[in-house]
Amino acid sequence: MQQIQWQDRFCIGVDIVDQAHRRLFTIVQKIMDLYVERHEDKFACVEGIKYFKAYALKHFAEEEAYMREIGYAGYAHHKRLHDRMRRETLPALERELYDTDFSTAAVQHFIGVCTGWLTGHITIEDRAITGSAASEFPRIALDDELSVIQTVILRPLQELFGAEVQFLGAYSPEEVIPDAQYYELSYRGWEGRRLRFVLIIGEQPLLHAAGLIFGAEFYEKDEIVRFAMQEVAQNLIQRAAACFGQDPGEYQLEGERFLEEGCLLQRRTPQYSLLFSLHQTSFALCIDSLSDAAGPGR
């Protein structure tokens, strides 16, 4: 794998925040270079991961202090995302590392999750601090598909991947997506509310999207790509959850898996089936907002 490169498009215009983000990317790359690529000293990897965690916690505190100082309206939501990362995600990754004696798979999981989380969090949440991305969670009319697209999907996708992402229209099962893979994320909220997202994408656009995120070129899908893309998807979905009438912090990941071809439509027709273009190819996203009373949705 090539270097995970910091990209200037990740800058939000606040020096103390941008410098910390650059440093976190550098630490992740160093861990990958030492242990995943070269399979060198495990001690260096252990120390690198400890340093990443300590530096990330320091950065969260500094960023939260800055948000309080400027009176940022989205502070409470943003802090909840930090809290989940420091209290749940990082400790879980750390336990996996020690339980497996820092296996290559566990280190890849750590790198993918941290890089994907940073990328999605910076472009969707941190940029909102300075007004360069939407900081509010406007409620959408669920019967207005264009509102769903613009508010929930298209703008965050363009913030991540640039103007290359364009909405093409409604997705139909007859639409041919070469080498299609079906990836499902399901979330559960309070009072029985559930969200189900299915991404239908071929390997080449998936690798292209990962390349845009990492600033690297990928020739095959690996575990780091998979975990990173999952974290980016979760950042998008957390924002989408609020638009469906829930605080994004109320939704917890319930499951993620790859589906067999055709499995998508065997249960029920999704509420929203949207088709997008990316880099001269296409991908689709199907969305369901359900309650337990609506019957099986996954």
Side-chain angles (χ1 to χ4, degrees), residues 4-53:
I4 298 174
Q5 299 175 359
W6 167 262
Q7 302 171 64
D8 287 341
R9 69 189 181 93
F10 293 153
C11 290
I12 71 168
V14 180
D15 285 344
I16 190 172
V17 174
D18 291 335
Q19 289 173 12
H21 290 161
R22 286 192 189 95
R23 185 60 180 161
L24 287 168
F25 268 82
T26 299
I27 297 168
V28 170
Q29 172 56 45
K30 192 67 175 178
I31 294 169
M32 186 172 73
D33 185 51
L34 283 173
Y35 201 62
V36 177
E37 295 294 318
R38 300 184 191 177
H39 302 284
E40 292 186 358
D41 188 1
K42 185 181 81 172
F43 175 77
C45 177
V46 173
E47 293 303 305
I49 288 169
K50 286 181 179 177
Y51 184 43
F52 177 91
K53 180 181 177 183

Side-chain angles (χ1 to χ4, degrees), residues 1-7 29 32 207-219:
M1 181 184 290
Q2 298 182 15
Q3 296 287 306
I4 298 174
Q5 299 175 359
W6 167 262
Q7 302 171 64
Q29 172 56 45
M32 186 172 73
L207 294 176
H208 178 72
L212 290 172
I213 290 173
F214 282 89
E217 188 171 359
F218 293 90
Y219 299 99

Side-chain angles (χ1 to χ4, degrees), residues 102-139:
F102 286 76
S103 68
T104 298
V107 175
Q108 287 177 323
H109 189 192
F110 180 91
I111 293 169
V113 168
C114 291
T115 306
W117 189 91
L118 279 170
T119 302
H121 187 78
I122 290 168
T123 54
I124 295 172
E125 302 297 341
D126 286 344
R127 287 179 61 196
I129 297 172
T130 58
S132 54
S135 59
E136 298 297 320
F137 297 98
R139 297 294 176 87

Side-chain angles (χ1 to χ4, degrees), residues 138-192:
R139 297 294 176 87
I140 60 177
L142 296 184
D143 59 349
D144 181 354
E145 186 176 75
L146 185 59
S147 176
V148 173
I149 296 160
Q150 292 176 334
T151 306
V152 177
I153 302 301
L154 188 56
R155 183 171 179 180
L157 283 173
Q158 289 177 336
E159 288 172 354
L160 283 165
F161 304 131
E164 291 182 84
V165 179
Q166 301 295 326
F167 173 61
L168 298 178
Y171 168 71
S172 167
E174 287 73 36
E175 177 75 26
V176 176
I177 297 180
D179 200 23
Q181 302 174 64
Y182 296 74
Y183 178 57
E184 178 188 71
L185 284 167
S186 57
Y187 286 77
R188 181 177 294 275
W190 291 355
E191 299 179 352

Side-chain angles (χ1 to χ4, degrees), residues 168-183 198-206 261-262 264 273-286:
L168 298 178
Y171 168 71
S172 167
E174 287 73 36
E175 177 75 26
V176 176
I177 297 180
D179 200 23
Q181 302 174 64
Y182 296 74
Y183 178 57
V198 178
L199 176 65
I200 306 168
I201 189 169
E203 185 165 340
Q204 287 309 307
L206 178 65
E261 183 176 359
L264 174 66
S273 298
L274 313 172
L275 185 66
F276 301 89
S277 66
L278 174 64
H279 192 56
Q280 300 179 332
T281 188
S282 59
F283 67 95
L285 187 63
C286 299

